[in-house]
Amino acid sequence: MGFCSKMKSFAMPLIFLGVLLFSLFFADFISINVKSFLYSVSLSIKNILIFCLPFIIFFLVFSSISKLGARAFRYIAIIISLICCSNFLNTMLSYLSSVNLLNFDLNTLKSKAGMDLKPCFVLELENIISNDFSLLFGVLSGLISGIFAPNLTSKISEYFDRFTKIFFKFLIPVMPFFVMGTILKLEHDGILQSIFRQYFPVLIIFLISAYGTAFIEFILVSKFNFSKLGFYLKNISPAVITAFGAMSSAAALPLSIKAAEKNLKDKNNAGIIVPATVNIHLVGDCFFIPMIALAAMKSFGVMEPTFDQYLIFALHFVLAKFAVAAIPGGGVLVMLPVMQNYLGLSSDMLALVTALYILFDPLITMCNVLGNGIFAIVFEKIIAVFSNKA
């Protein structure tokens, strides 16, 4: 019975891994029409998810914040402080990792000419409200109602919790199709091959520094207990793999919440911290954007910034993170003025940074989701310390 239980717990990660490997190695045996159909399904699932996310975020945040009552102010203060510190430290680690970068061959990466995979249909849905507004409204309404009308709020929260559980129950089984369609699209267009063929040095540096930092943090939070480490990584792996296919931390949000609920002692903390960090705590961005910006400066023969200049850039970079939307390409767009004003990047360099970010977005987003998984565990441990002192 124990063995069957363990195999069941590994089922979802194995399914996602199987879908990923199948999409990568057997794509040539799939007809164009089938690829187009699967890509259409993937886009439609994504559009449905993005449409529903503001409501899911509101339900989760309202329910979690309202249960905290007077403790909510302390939780929010700690979350914001931790996010700023984490983003700043990772941005500075990116600088330390990048100071010895070599020059790169800056050939433009493009899809195969005339070979772009087109969807045969797409279910278009127009967003009613933004994720940021939903998050803010959920926090404020949860705070007010939890303090002044706790009984009524408790009943409303039960309905919200029931709805989100039903939503996740129907969503998670279709996520492998979501991943498959996107991977087939990237493989068909030749983008995956280009990603690993060109700019290989910066990719290696990014993987070593960003993912290395993430795994060290996982080892630390597990207190060198490798059984616990494996437990954490197993739970977060479906969200990480989904992030690769979707190129969106927001798209992986349901699985990130599910992982956090398993990794945390108090499931309510998952509903608070994961939606709050999905848009603004982006570890992969903090490593990759400064790294590729410095690489572009070297490649164009521009002098690297001094440590003091980079420090000023890092501070503005951290503030700009609060305006980022966790969608494909969203992480770099808001940073273009910051790189131009504080690092002196030209239009050509900014265009290069944008193109490379989009091409490497799957790996960046995976790191973002991995970092948020660690953040949730660290947050709970810090909250426990403050609760003991209170």
Side-chain angles (χ1 to χ4, degrees):
M1 189 70 175
F3 176 77
C4 293
S5 178
K6 289 183 178 181
M7 289 303 296
K8 186 177 180 180
S9 67
F10 276 100
M12 187 56 68
L14 291 175
I15 289 172
F16 276 93
L17 180 60
V19 167
L20 178 62
L21 294 176
F22 177 83
S23 302
L24 289 173
F25 294 108
F26 294 94
D28 292 338
F29 300 97
I30 302 175
S31 68
I32 298 296
N33 291 335
V34 174
K35 287 181 181 179
S36 179
F37 175 77
L38 290 172
Y39 180 48
S40 299
V41 172
S42 178
L43 288 177
S44 298
I45 294 172
K46 181 177 180 179
N47 288 342
I48 293 172
L49 176 58
I50 297 301
F51 176 81
C52 295
L53 267 178
F55 303 101
I56 299 301
I57 289 174
F58 171 76
F59 292 158
L60 287 168
V61 172
F62 176 89
S63 179
S64 300
I65 292 294
S66 63
K67 294 174 184 176
L68 297 175
R71 294 181 296 157
F73 292 101
R74 180 172 59 191
Y75 272 52
I76 294 171
I78 293 174
I79 288 172
I80 294 175
S81 300
L82 285 178
I83 287 173
C84 290
C85 290
S86 177
N87 283 342
F88 178 76
L89 290 174
N90 288 319
T91 304
M92 296 307 297
L93 285 173
S94 176
Y95 176 77
L96 297 177
S97 302
S98 305
V99 290
N100 294 318
L101 280 175
L102 300 175
N103 290 331
F104 296 92
D105 179 9
L106 298 179
N107 294 330
T108 303
L109 301 177
K110 297 180 180 179
S111 301
K112 298 174 183 177
M115 292 294 290
D116 287 0
L117 183 66
K118 305 295 184 183
C120 56
F121 69 90
V122 179
L123 178 62
E124 297 286 357
L125 295 171
E126 185 175 350
N127 286 358
I128 300 175
I129 57 176
S130 69
N131 291 346
D132 294 337
F133 177 81
S134 179
L135 177 62
L136 179 61
F137 187 58
V139 170
L140 293 177
S141 59
L143 279 172
I144 296 171
S145 61
I147 294 173
F148 296 103
N151 293 331
L152 176 61
T153 301
S154 177
K155 293 181 180 179
I156 296 174
S157 296
E158 288 180 8
Y159 285 109
F160 286 172
D161 290 342
R162 195 177 305 168
F163 178 85
T164 53
K165 287 179 181 178
I166 293 172
F167 178 79
F168 291 156
K169 184 178 180 180
F170 282 97
L171 176 68
I172 291 175
V174 303
M175 293 304 284
F177 296 99
F178 178 37
V179 173
M180 179 182 289
T182 307
I183 298 298
L184 289 174
K185 159 71 173 174
L186 294 174
E187 190 281 334
H188 179 85
D189 293 353
I191 298 298
L192 285 179
Q193 296 88 330
S194 299
I195 288 175
F196 293 103
R197 187 169 55 247
Q198 298 191 48
Y199 300 96
F200 190 69
V202 72
L203 173 63
I204 294 300
I205 294 171
F206 167 71
L207 292 175
I208 292 174
S209 57
Y211 283 86
T213 300
F215 281 113
I216 289 172
E217 290 173 352
F218 262 120
I219 291 172
L220 292 176
V221 297
S222 63
K223 298 180 180 179
F224 297 91
N225 183 333
F226 289 97
S227 176
K228 191 72 172 179
L229 173 64
F231 176 78
Y232 286 152
L233 295 177
K234 179 199 70 178
N235 292 334
I236 195 67
S237 59
V240 172
I241 295 173
T242 298
F244 179 88
M247 295 183 289
S248 169
S249 300
L253 178 61
L255 293 173
S256 295
I257 294 172
K258 194 174 184 67
E261 288 177 346
K262 294 178 180 179
N263 286 338
L264 303 181
K265 295 180 180 178
D266 186 351
K267 291 185 178 182
N268 289 329
N269 287 332
I272 301 170
I273 190 61
V274 178
T277 58
V278 68
N279 280 353
I280 54 181
H281 181 250
L282 305 174
V283 174
D285 288 37
C286 291
F287 272 93
F288 189 82
I289 294 177
M291 190 176 293
I292 201 64
L294 294 178
M297 293 176 72
K298 279 195 171 186
S299 300
F300 278 84
V302 177
M303 185 177 295
E304 290 183 1
T306 63
F307 181 82
D308 292 342
Q309 291 172 330
Y310 186 87
L311 184 61
I312 295 173
F313 160 77
L315 293 172
H316 286 86
F317 186 88
V318 169
L319 292 176
K321 275 274 160 254
F322 288 90
V324 169
I327 58 174
V332 71
L333 297 179
V334 74
M335 295 302 171
L336 296 180
V338 178
M339 289 185 285
Q340 184 177 36
N341 294 335
Y342 299 101
L343 291 181
L345 268 66
S346 66
S347 298
D348 290 340
M349 285 187 276
L350 291 175
L352 173 65
V353 170
T354 303
L356 288 174
Y357 180 94
I358 293 173
L359 288 168
F360 285 108
D361 204 357
L363 296 174
I364 299 168
T365 308
M366 285 175 66
C367 190
N368 291 337
V369 172
L370 195 64
N372 286 339
I374 303 167
F375 191 93
I377 300 170
V378 173
F379 167 80
E380 185 175 63
K381 291 181 181 297
I382 292 178
I383 282 293
V385 172
F386 277 87
S387 298
N388 292 334
K389 290 183 178 180

